Amino acid sequence: MDTKKITIAIDGYSSSGKSSMAKRLAATIGYRYIDSGAMYRAVTLYAMRNGMIDDSGNPDTKKIIAALPDINIDFAVSDGIQNTILNGENVEKEIRQMAVSNNVSPVAAIPEVRHALVAKQQAFGAEKGIVMDGRDIGTTVFPDAELKIFVRASAETRAQRRFKELIEKGSQASYEEVLANVVHRDHIDETRSESPLRQASDAILLDNSNMTIEEQNGWILDKYNEAISKL
Ligand code: CDP
């Protein structure tokens, strides 16, 4: 049995399928999985509930920064499903709603929010044996990760996938609305000054536009085995 544990960073565009891939890989190899996007979504939900985001989606940066010590985020696994816990409450379902998706990127662009969440993410990964997905995991959170993957797919493919997922979960959304949200978040994520979405120079690029889920799961497992064999 192999006991060597590594850190695996999976970054990429919104709705690129990186979370499903990261989750499956972690389950297959017995690693912990952390969804860093869920943490930004939880902060956003807290800000929305406490009147810190106006009707046009502009966050009250000062109030959000002041509230950071009051926002406790954790994860709890039950029946194999990972739940995001905000101050003791399971908010897993709520943070996936379009209302949160529409507000999250400006909140995630606030440097102080990023510093607080990055510190927490680094603490989660302190003992390795972790798969974390997000936008800046390979560049900022774990620049020394042994395996870095950067996932991309066309905006239309990603919007189609997210739309299907929302409809299956019973949410009301139109394809056009989802596509607009995906394109808008890409733009904010790529152009913010604090750790923008960018492929790390040592990350392996995966374009999964034309890949099935099974194909991509096999692909990443091969990359993991290669990374482990190099140790
Ligand atoms: O699942 P989806 O691709 O829709 O997004 P997510 O991973 O849940 O992340 C939601 C948002 O949080 C992103 O659009 C980013 O604005 C932000 N985010 C970030 O800035 N840095 C991360 N490491 C993860 C997410």
Side-chain angles (χ1 to χ4, degrees), residues 11 13 16 21 23 28 33-34 36 58 73 92 119 124 128 142 152 171-172 182 186 193 195 202 213 227:
D11 289 301
Y13 288 87
S16 57
M21 188 168 78
K23 235 178 266 176
T28 306
Y33 164 67
I34 295 287
S36 68
N58 298 313
I73 301 165
E92 184 58 35
F124 278 132
K128 300 199 173 218
F142 299 126
R152 95 175 164 203
S171 280
Q172 301 276 326
V182 161
D186 285 355
S193 56
S195 53
D202 51 351
I213 290 175

Side-chain angles (χ1 to χ4, degrees), residues 193-214:
S193 56
E194 185 80 21
S195 53
L197 170 65
R198 194 159 293 157
Q199 181 179 350
S201 56
D202 51 351
I204 306 167
L205 179 66
L206 170 66
D207 187 321
N208 66 5
S209 301
N210 299 307
M211 261 183 166
T212 64
I213 290 175
E214 291 318 314

